[in-house]
Amino acid sequence: MLDVQFYGVLQQVAGTRSLQVDLKDDDITVDQVLTQLRQDVPALSAHLPRVACAQGESLVRRSDAVDPRQPLVLLPPVSGGRGPGQWRNT
Amino acid sequence: MLDVQFYGVLQQVAGTRSLQVDLKDDDITVDQVLTQLRQDVPALSAHLPRVACAQGESLVRRSDAVDPRQPLVLLPPVSGGRGPGQWRNT
Amino acid sequence: MQRITEAPLDVNTLLAETENDTCGAFVVFGGVVRNHHQGRGVAGMSYTAYGPMAEKVLEELEQETIQRFGVAECRIMHRIGKLEIGEASVLVAVRSAHRADSFEAGQYAIDTLKERLPVWKEDFYTDGSSGYQDGVPLETSEATETERGGRGHE
Amino acid sequence: MQRITEAPLDVNTLLAETENDTCGAFVVFGGVVRNHHQGRGVAGMSYTAYGPMAEKVLEELEQETIQRFGVAECRIMHRIGKLEIGEASVLVAVRSAHRADSFEAGQYAIDTLKERLPVWKEDFYTDGSSGYQDGVPLETSEATETERGGRGHE
């Protein structure tokens, strides 16, 4: 079982701060967990493309393996207020 | 008699905070006062091109008439730290 | 040194923590809860953060700002919990020898924070309703990865 | 409201005086006495001002900054007298709905102040000597009038 935690608007959408996802095996990617989540909580589907995932202090990519010993944390778009753009890609 | 006041480095150069200049008549310009000052205090000459003059709250131009009832104030270049220039003439 | 806190933020705390005799300039930016958002009256706000990552993001952003702009000091704090109108949600303090660097570095720090810090704000509107503000997807989301790919890894 | 003062400057005083519930951002700039100038050690500094004009210049600059950048608040204070290393000689506080305006307006205000405010600083060096820093001639000096004429009244 993997602990999945929700932040921001995702807590409203999921109706909870965390839930357990059943891992088929130990060698599973972030993407596979999200696929399982879409089935368990369909309301999350529309949000997932703009959600980033983290474990511990760090972001993890969709293709990364999940460490089953720590929660997978789902982070929706952050509070924003757009920068002026001048700093991008520089 | 007109009271002439010095600020900043001009106090050092003139060796005083203020002195009296004898006005020939009542209808005299800032420029004429400065000409008189050059004779009275030669050490000021080198500084005068970069000095601005004020009476009361306001700057006065070289060609302006002097109000003999209030001091003529001599203001050397201000503390500086140049702006980036982007604001000039805009 | 805690950067995410529930306690009210104070500018003088950040200035004291960044004292540096070689600096002739400081700039402090403050983000403040205002009484309106997109035409609606706002009564207050609640901030939540993903703590473990948020602390690290701010620490790294301070160092990045110092190195990128050659400033001497950079210190960032973000408040979480319920905030009233007029209270500061975030403070950025920068110190440098000359003033232009402090302005530039301060603006970079807050602009970048807004794209990287895992913090969310929920508005409480004067009509009694509430809602999370939409924002910027973090890196590693599908949206940012696709955008990045689409721009040809520029 | 006094803008030129011998009392130590405090950022929170300016922030309190500019409180405005419509604003989501503030920027405070501080100019601080630093321990070096053009390679020489500085032990302290003394500021003098031509008071009657200095108050008016700051008051007008606050209004000009507000109008030019559409910010809600601008407040400027300058200290005179003897200052120690690390003490603030000038503070500029700006508040606006959005942050970019506060940064831009704050930088304009301090850059313009440096060209217009009749204030002079005398450095006290660590070797026991002292000296007035050279600066920018004010408008109406021969130097600025000539420059203006030479630039074809642009």
Side-chain angles (χ1 to χ4, degrees):
Chain A
M1 299 292 284
L2 177 72
D3 186 30
V4 175
Q5 296 182 350
F6 303 108
Y7 277 85
V9 70
L10 301 180
Q11 291 178 0
Q12 283 184 347
V13 173
T16 178
R17 287 172 176 243
S18 69
L19 53 76
Q20 307 289 314
V21 170
D22 198 7
L23 297 189
K24 265 77 185 175
D25 60 72
D26 279 355
D27 201 20
I28 196 169
T29 64
V30 173
D31 213 23
Q32 288 172 301
V33 176
L34 296 185
T35 299
Q36 182 66 46
L37 261 181
R38 270 191 199 88
Q39 294 173 8
D40 297 351
V41 191
L44 284 172
S45 293
H47 291 267
L48 290 182
R50 300 178 74 228
V51 162
C53 299
Q55 289 202 289
E57 293 185 349
S58 303
L59 292 172
V60 291
R61 298 192 183 278
R62 295 294 202 258
S63 55
D64 288 347
V66 171
D67 176 355
R69 291 161 304 180
Q70 52 182 348
L72 183 71
V73 184
L74 268 59
L75 311 173
V78 295
S79 65
R82 291 216 162 260
Q86 61 174 306
W87 306 112
R88 289 162 192 257
N89 304 313
T90 58
Chain B
M1 298 294 282
L2 177 73
D3 187 31
V4 175
Q5 297 182 351
F6 303 108
Y7 278 83
V9 70
L10 301 180
Q11 292 179 358
Q12 283 185 347
V13 174
T16 178
R17 288 173 177 241
S18 68
L19 51 78
Q20 307 288 312
V21 170
D22 198 8
L23 296 190
K24 266 75 184 176
D25 61 69
D26 279 356
D27 202 21
I28 196 169
T29 64
V30 172
D31 214 22
Q32 290 171 300
V33 176
L34 297 186
T35 299
Q36 183 65 45
L37 261 181
R38 270 192 199 88
Q39 294 171 10
D40 297 352
V41 191
L44 284 171
S45 293
H47 290 267
L48 290 182
R50 300 179 74 228
V51 162
C53 299
Q55 289 203 289
E57 292 185 348
S58 303
L59 292 172
V60 291
R61 298 192 183 278
R62 296 293 202 259
S63 55
D64 287 346
V66 171
D67 177 354
R69 291 162 303 181
Q70 52 181 349
L72 183 71
V73 184
L74 268 61
L75 311 172
V78 296
S79 65
R82 291 215 162 260
Q86 61 174 306
W87 307 111
R88 290 166 193 251
N89 304 313
T90 58
Chain C
M1 196 181 293
Q2 210 175 348
R3 294 174 177 83
I4 305 286
T5 176
E6 294 197 32
L9 303 179
D10 180 50
V11 170
N12 282 332
T13 304
L14 274 77
L15 289 176
E17 288 174 358
T18 55
E19 272 184 9
N20 186 320
D21 286 352
T22 68
C23 294
F26 67 75
V27 166
V28 179
F29 169 82
V32 177
V33 180
R34 62 192 163 115
N35 63 7
H36 61 103
H37 178 66
Q38 297 183 336
R40 301 178 69 180
V42 171
M45 210 170 264
S46 175
Y47 283 84
T48 50
Y50 175 46
M53 189 178 135
E55 287 283 345
K56 185 185 167 206
V57 165
L58 291 186
E59 190 177 339
E60 289 178 350
L61 181 54
E62 289 173 0
Q63 290 309 311
E64 182 185 327
T65 301
I66 287 170
Q67 277 155 32
R68 185 166 180 154
F69 296 91
V71 296
E73 305 285 342
C74 178
R75 182 90 173 83
I76 310 174
M77 292 191 75
H78 203 297
R79 190 168 166 199
I80 54 172
K82 294 222 175 196
L83 274 72
E84 312 271 319
I85 304 293
E87 289 194 293
S89 57
V90 57
L91 292 179
V92 176
V94 177
R95 288 182 185 261
S96 57
H98 301 285
R99 67 183 182 276
D101 296 328
S102 276
F103 276 105
E104 210 175 7
Q107 189 148 20
Y108 174 80
I110 185 62
D111 287 349
T112 306
L113 177 150
K114 295 277 187 176
E115 296 181 350
R116 288 191 202 159
L117 188 67
V119 161
W120 301 273
K121 46 185 171 189
E122 187 177 7
D123 285 334
F124 299 101
Y125 297 104
T126 49
D127 63 11
S129 66
S130 69
Y132 281 96
Q133 288 185 19
D134 191 26
V136 185
L138 290 166
E139 271 192 42
T140 75
S141 76
E142 267 179 59
T144 55
E145 297 283 291
T146 306
E147 191 191 0
R148 183 174 294 212
R151 284 195 263 151
H153 298 277
E154 61 183 333
Chain D
M1 195 181 291
Q2 213 176 345
R3 294 175 177 82
I4 305 287
T5 177
E6 293 196 33
L9 303 179
D10 180 50
V11 170
N12 282 332
T13 304
L14 274 78
L15 288 177
E17 287 174 358
T18 56
E19 273 184 7
N20 186 320
D21 286 353
T22 68
C23 294
F26 67 75
V27 165
V28 179
F29 170 81
V32 178
V33 180
R34 62 194 162 112
N35 63 6
H36 61 103
H37 177 65
Q38 297 183 335
R40 301 178 68 180
V42 171
M45 211 170 265
S46 174
Y47 283 84
T48 50
Y50 174 45
M53 189 179 134
E55 287 283 345
K56 186 185 165 206
V57 164
L58 291 185
E59 191 178 337
E60 288 177 351
L61 181 53
E62 289 173 0
Q63 290 309 311
E64 182 185 327
T65 301
I66 287 170
Q67 277 154 34
R68 184 165 181 154
F69 296 91
V71 296
E73 306 284 342
C74 178
R75 182 93 172 81
I76 311 175
M77 293 191 75
H78 202 295
R79 190 168 166 201
I80 54 173
K82 294 222 176 197
L83 274 73
E84 312 270 319
I85 303 294
E87 290 194 293
S89 58
V90 57
L91 292 179
V92 176
V94 176
R95 288 182 185 261
S96 58
H98 300 285
R99 67 184 182 273
D101 297 328
S102 276
F103 276 105
E104 212 175 4
Q107 188 148 20
Y108 174 80
I110 185 63
D111 287 350
T112 307
L113 178 151
K114 295 276 187 176
E115 295 181 350
R116 288 191 201 158
L117 187 68
V119 161
W120 301 275
K121 47 185 170 188
E122 188 178 6
D123 284 336
F124 299 102
Y125 297 104
T126 48
D127 63 12
S129 66
S130 69
Y132 281 95
Q133 287 186 19
D134 192 26
V136 184
L138 290 168
E139 270 193 40
T140 77
S141 76
E142 268 179 57
T144 54
E145 298 283 290
T146 306
E147 191 191 359
R148 182 175 297 212
R151 283 196 262 151
H153 299 278
E154 62 181 335

mmCIF file of all heavy atoms in Angstrom, chain A residues 43-72:
data_model
loop_
_atom_site.group_PDB
_atom_site.id
_atom_site.type_symbol
_atom_site.label_atom_id
_atom_site.label_comp_id
_atom_site.label_asym_id
_atom_site.label_seq_id
_atom_site.Cartn_x
_atom_site.Cartn_y
_atom_site.Cartn_z
ATOM 1 N N ALA A 43 -12.893 12.021 -10.178
ATOM 2 C CA ALA A 43 -12.928 13.483 -10.134
ATOM 3 C C ALA A 43 -11.538 14.096 -10.258
ATOM 4 O O ALA A 43 -11.383 15.268 -10.632
ATOM 5 C CB ALA A 43 -13.584 13.955 -8.835
ATOM 6 N N LEU A 44 -10.501 13.318 -9.934
ATOM 7 C CA LEU A 44 -9.133 13.846 -10.014
ATOM 8 C C LEU A 44 -8.619 13.972 -11.450
ATOM 9 O O LEU A 44 -7.692 14.742 -11.722
ATOM 10 C CB LEU A 44 -8.172 12.949 -9.224
ATOM 11 C CG LEU A 44 -8.201 13.062 -7.701
ATOM 12 C CD1 LEU A 44 -7.341 11.961 -7.083
ATOM 13 C CD2 LEU A 44 -7.697 14.438 -7.248
ATOM 14 N N SER A 45 -9.228 13.222 -12.368
ATOM 15 C CA SER A 45 -8.674 13.092 -13.725
ATOM 16 C C SER A 45 -8.395 14.430 -14.384
ATOM 17 O O SER A 45 -7.332 14.649 -14.971
ATOM 18 C CB SER A 45 -9.637 12.291 -14.610
ATOM 19 O OG SER A 45 -9.690 10.973 -14.145
ATOM 20 N N ALA A 46 -9.373 15.352 -14.307
ATOM 21 C CA ALA A 46 -9.223 16.633 -14.986
ATOM 22 C C ALA A 46 -8.050 17.432 -14.435
ATOM 23 O O ALA A 46 -7.469 18.250 -15.134
ATOM 24 C CB ALA A 46 -10.514 17.439 -14.871
ATOM 25 N N HIS A 47 -7.701 17.180 -13.173
ATOM 26 C CA HIS A 47 -6.633 17.952 -12.537
ATOM 27 C C HIS A 47 -5.236 17.393 -12.785
ATOM 28 O O HIS A 47 -4.253 18.131 -12.750
ATOM 29 C CB HIS A 47 -6.878 18.024 -11.017
ATOM 30 C CG HIS A 47 -8.061 18.858 -10.648
ATOM 31 N ND1 HIS A 47 -7.961 20.197 -10.350
ATOM 32 C CD2 HIS A 47 -9.382 18.569 -10.561
ATOM 33 C CE1 HIS A 47 -9.153 20.686 -10.081
ATOM 34 N NE2 HIS A 47 -10.040 19.716 -10.192
ATOM 35 N N LEU A 48 -5.153 16.075 -13.013
ATOM 36 C CA LEU A 48 -3.837 15.428 -12.987
ATOM 37 C C LEU A 48 -2.823 15.966 -13.995
ATOM 38 O O LEU A 48 -1.626 16.032 -13.675
ATOM 39 C CB LEU A 48 -4.003 13.907 -13.136
ATOM 40 C CG LEU A 48 -4.635 13.231 -11.909
ATOM 41 C CD1 LEU A 48 -4.721 11.719 -12.112
ATOM 42 C CD2 LEU A 48 -3.846 13.547 -10.633
ATOM 43 N N PRO A 49 -3.236 16.400 -15.204
ATOM 44 C CA PRO A 49 -2.200 16.912 -16.131
ATOM 45 C C PRO A 49 -1.423 18.103 -15.575
ATOM 46 O O PRO A 49 -0.267 18.305 -15.931
ATOM 47 C CB PRO A 49 -3.013 17.319 -17.371
ATOM 48 C CG PRO A 49 -4.223 16.456 -17.330
ATOM 49 C CD PRO A 49 -4.554 16.309 -15.859
ATOM 50 N N ARG A 50 -2.031 18.873 -14.687
ATOM 51 C CA ARG A 50 -1.349 20.065 -14.153
ATOM 52 C C ARG A 50 -0.833 19.824 -12.740
ATOM 53 O O ARG A 50 -0.440 20.764 -12.044
ATOM 54 C CB ARG A 50 -2.286 21.271 -14.206
ATOM 55 C CG ARG A 50 -2.730 21.592 -15.641
ATOM 56 C CD ARG A 50 -3.695 22.772 -15.689
ATOM 57 N NE ARG A 50 -3.039 24.045 -15.475
ATOM 58 C CZ ARG A 50 -3.476 24.981 -14.634
ATOM 59 N NH1 ARG A 50 -4.552 24.770 -13.914
ATOM 60 N NH2 ARG A 50 -2.833 26.109 -14.513
ATOM 61 N N VAL A 51 -0.842 18.573 -12.310
ATOM 62 C CA VAL A 51 -0.365 18.227 -10.968
ATOM 63 C C VAL A 51 1.082 17.746 -11.046
ATOM 64 O O VAL A 51 1.449 16.996 -11.948
ATOM 65 C CB VAL A 51 -1.266 17.122 -10.364
ATOM 66 C CG1 VAL A 51 -0.582 16.428 -9.198
ATOM 67 C CG2 VAL A 51 -2.609 17.717 -9.951
ATOM 68 N N ALA A 52 1.906 18.231 -10.102
ATOM 69 C CA ALA A 52 3.261 17.699 -9.956
ATOM 70 C C ALA A 52 3.270 16.752 -8.765
ATOM 71 O O ALA A 52 2.434 16.853 -7.868
ATOM 72 C CB ALA A 52 4.263 18.822 -9.739
ATOM 73 N N CYS A 53 4.206 15.819 -8.762
ATOM 74 C CA CYS A 53 4.290 14.852 -7.671
ATOM 75 C C CYS A 53 5.629 14.990 -6.957
ATOM 76 O O CYS A 53 6.641 15.366 -7.557
ATOM 77 C CB CYS A 53 4.153 13.432 -8.209
ATOM 78 S SG CYS A 53 2.571 13.153 -9.017
ATOM 79 N N ALA A 54 5.602 14.713 -5.666
ATOM 80 C CA ALA A 54 6.829 14.801 -4.879
ATOM 81 C C ALA A 54 6.903 13.623 -3.923
ATOM 82 O O ALA A 54 5.876 13.041 -3.525
ATOM 83 C CB ALA A 54 6.872 16.120 -4.099
ATOM 84 N N GLN A 55 8.143 13.293 -3.574
ATOM 85 C CA GLN A 55 8.371 12.391 -2.444
ATOM 86 C C GLN A 55 9.433 13.047 -1.566
ATOM 87 O O GLN A 55 10.498 13.449 -2.067
ATOM 88 C CB GLN A 55 8.822 11.013 -2.925
ATOM 89 C CG GLN A 55 7.678 10.239 -3.597
ATOM 90 C CD GLN A 55 7.933 8.738 -3.586
ATOM 91 O OE1 GLN A 55 8.790 8.248 -4.292
ATOM 92 N NE2 GLN A 55 7.157 8.016 -2.783
ATOM 93 N N GLY A 56 9.115 13.198 -0.298
ATOM 94 C CA GLY A 56 10.055 13.907 0.582
ATOM 95 C C GLY A 56 10.232 15.340 0.129
ATOM 96 O O GLY A 56 9.271 16.041 -0.170
ATOM 97 N N GLU A 57 11.499 15.782 0.018
ATOM 98 C CA GLU A 57 11.785 17.179 -0.337
ATOM 99 C C GLU A 57 11.760 17.451 -1.828
ATOM 100 O O GLU A 57 11.882 18.597 -2.238
ATOM 101 C CB GLU A 57 13.197 17.561 0.151
ATOM 102 C CG GLU A 57 13.380 17.618 1.641
ATOM 103 C CD GLU A 57 14.777 18.120 2.003
ATOM 104 O OE1 GLU A 57 15.628 18.202 1.089
ATOM 105 O OE2 GLU A 57 14.996 18.439 3.180
ATOM 106 N N SER A 58 11.622 16.378 -2.642
ATOM 107 C CA SER A 58 11.907 16.568 -4.065
ATOM 108 C C SER A 58 10.753 16.205 -4.976
ATOM 109 O O SER A 58 9.980 15.273 -4.697
ATOM 110 C CB SER A 58 13.125 15.737 -4.471
ATOM 111 O OG SER A 58 14.229 16.076 -3.678
ATOM 112 N N LEU A 59 10.670 16.915 -6.094
ATOM 113 C CA LEU A 59 9.728 16.559 -7.146
ATOM 114 C C LEU A 59 10.177 15.262 -7.812
ATOM 115 O O LEU A 59 11.370 14.993 -7.903
ATOM 116 C CB LEU A 59 9.674 17.679 -8.200
ATOM 117 C CG LEU A 59 9.067 19.005 -7.733
ATOM 118 C CD1 LEU A 59 9.264 20.081 -8.799
ATOM 119 C CD2 LEU A 59 7.584 18.833 -7.410
ATOM 120 N N VAL A 60 9.201 14.494 -8.271
ATOM 121 C CA VAL A 60 9.520 13.279 -9.038
ATOM 122 C C VAL A 60 8.786 13.345 -10.372
ATOM 123 O O VAL A 60 7.688 13.904 -10.456
ATOM 124 C CB VAL A 60 9.118 11.994 -8.277
ATOM 125 C CG1 VAL A 60 10.014 11.805 -7.062
ATOM 126 C CG2 VAL A 60 7.651 12.027 -7.852
ATOM 127 N N ARG A 61 9.418 12.790 -11.405
ATOM 128 C CA ARG A 61 8.812 12.791 -12.733
ATOM 129 C C ARG A 61 7.871 11.594 -12.876
ATOM 130 O O ARG A 61 7.939 10.625 -12.126
ATOM 131 C CB ARG A 61 9.895 12.747 -13.812
ATOM 132 C CG ARG A 61 10.798 13.957 -13.752
ATOM 133 C CD ARG A 61 11.701 14.100 -14.971
ATOM 134 N NE ARG A 61 12.558 15.251 -14.776
ATOM 135 C CZ ARG A 61 12.198 16.512 -15.021
ATOM 136 N NH1 ARG A 61 11.002 16.764 -15.535
ATOM 137 N NH2 ARG A 61 13.006 17.505 -14.775
ATOM 138 N N ARG A 62 7.026 11.692 -13.903
ATOM 139 C CA ARG A 62 6.042 10.637 -14.159
ATOM 140 C C ARG A 62 6.708 9.273 -14.366
ATOM 141 O O ARG A 62 6.159 8.244 -14.001
ATOM 142 C CB ARG A 62 5.217 10.973 -15.406
ATOM 143 C CG ARG A 62 4.345 12.209 -15.276
ATOM 144 C CD ARG A 62 3.247 12.014 -14.241
ATOM 145 N NE ARG A 62 2.133 12.916 -14.447
ATOM 146 C CZ ARG A 62 1.916 14.023 -13.748
ATOM 147 N NH1 ARG A 62 2.749 14.365 -12.769
ATOM 148 N NH2 ARG A 62 0.867 14.772 -13.995
ATOM 149 N N SER A 63 7.903 9.291 -14.956
ATOM 150 C CA SER A 63 8.568 8.030 -15.293
ATOM 151 C C SER A 63 9.421 7.487 -14.148
ATOM 152 O O SER A 63 9.965 6.389 -14.236
ATOM 153 C CB SER A 63 9.453 8.244 -16.531
ATOM 154 O OG SER A 63 10.347 9.330 -16.289
ATOM 155 N N ASP A 64 9.556 8.284 -13.063
ATOM 156 C CA ASP A 64 10.372 7.837 -11.937
ATOM 157 C C ASP A 64 9.710 6.682 -11.182
ATOM 158 O O ASP A 64 8.483 6.589 -11.111
ATOM 159 C CB ASP A 64 10.613 8.992 -10.949
ATOM 160 C CG ASP A 64 11.580 10.045 -11.479
ATOM 161 O OD1 ASP A 64 12.258 9.762 -12.491
ATOM 162 O OD2 ASP A 64 11.622 11.158 -10.911
ATOM 163 N N ALA A 65 10.554 5.848 -10.611
ATOM 164 C CA ALA A 65 10.042 4.782 -9.749
ATOM 165 C C ALA A 65 9.575 5.391 -8.425
ATOM 166 O O ALA A 65 10.168 6.353 -7.932
ATOM 167 C CB ALA A 65 11.137 3.747 -9.497
ATOM 168 N N VAL A 66 8.507 4.831 -7.886
ATOM 169 C CA VAL A 66 7.989 5.305 -6.605
ATOM 170 C C VAL A 66 8.677 4.559 -5.471
ATOM 171 O O VAL A 66 8.833 3.343 -5.521
ATOM 172 C CB VAL A 66 6.463 5.072 -6.530
ATOM 173 C CG1 VAL A 66 5.950 5.354 -5.137
ATOM 174 C CG2 VAL A 66 5.760 5.928 -7.565
ATOM 175 N N ASP A 67 9.105 5.330 -4.469
ATOM 176 C CA ASP A 67 9.629 4.712 -3.247
ATOM 177 C C ASP A 67 8.434 4.390 -2.354
ATOM 178 O O ASP A 67 7.784 5.288 -1.837
ATOM 179 C CB ASP A 67 10.567 5.703 -2.553
ATOM 180 C CG ASP A 67 11.077 5.164 -1.221
ATOM 181 O OD1 ASP A 67 10.638 4.065 -0.794
ATOM 182 O OD2 ASP A 67 11.908 5.852 -0.603
ATOM 183 N N PRO A 68 8.132 3.100 -2.187
ATOM 184 C CA PRO A 68 6.898 2.744 -1.474
ATOM 185 C C PRO A 68 6.964 3.039 0.020
ATOM 186 O O PRO A 68 5.941 2.999 0.698
ATOM 187 C CB PRO A 68 6.768 1.234 -1.736
ATOM 188 C CG PRO A 68 8.148 0.770 -2.020
ATOM 189 C CD PRO A 68 8.885 1.930 -2.637
ATOM 190 N N ARG A 69 8.159 3.404 0.537
ATOM 191 C CA ARG A 69 8.276 3.637 1.978
ATOM 192 C C ARG A 69 7.866 5.050 2.378
ATOM 193 O O ARG A 69 7.736 5.353 3.559
ATOM 194 C CB ARG A 69 9.725 3.384 2.427
ATOM 195 C CG ARG A 69 10.145 1.929 2.368
ATOM 196 C CD ARG A 69 11.640 1.825 2.365
ATOM 197 N NE ARG A 69 12.234 2.600 1.266
ATOM 198 C CZ ARG A 69 13.528 2.697 1.028
ATOM 199 N NH1 ARG A 69 14.393 2.106 1.837
ATOM 200 N NH2 ARG A 69 13.978 3.397 -0.001
ATOM 201 N N GLN A 70 7.712 5.959 1.397
ATOM 202 C CA GLN A 70 7.267 7.306 1.772
ATOM 203 C C GLN A 70 6.100 7.736 0.887
ATOM 204 O O GLN A 70 5.933 7.246 -0.223
ATOM 205 C CB GLN A 70 8.417 8.314 1.724
ATOM 206 C CG GLN A 70 9.202 8.348 0.439
ATOM 207 C CD GLN A 70 10.352 9.363 0.520
ATOM 208 O OE1 GLN A 70 10.406 10.172 1.432
ATOM 209 N NE2 GLN A 70 11.251 9.323 -0.452
ATOM 210 N N PRO A 71 5.282 8.666 1.393
ATOM 211 C CA PRO A 71 4.074 9.065 0.672
ATOM 212 C C PRO A 71 4.402 9.653 -0.695
ATOM 213 O O PRO A 71 5.451 10.281 -0.875
ATOM 214 C CB PRO A 71 3.445 10.136 1.573
ATOM 215 C CG PRO A 71 4.061 9.952 2.912
ATOM 216 C CD PRO A 71 5.416 9.364 2.679
ATOM 217 N N LEU A 72 3.492 9.452 -1.628
ATOM 218 C CA LEU A 72 3.535 10.186 -2.881
ATOM 219 C C LEU A 72 2.607 11.393 -2.714
ATOM 220 O O LEU A 72 1.423 11.237 -2.383
ATOM 221 C CB LEU A 72 3.068 9.307 -4.046
ATOM 222 C CG LEU A 72 3.152 9.981 -5.427
ATOM 223 C CD1 LEU A 72 4.601 10.137 -5.870
ATOM 224 C CD2 LEU A 72 2.362 9.194 -6.472
#
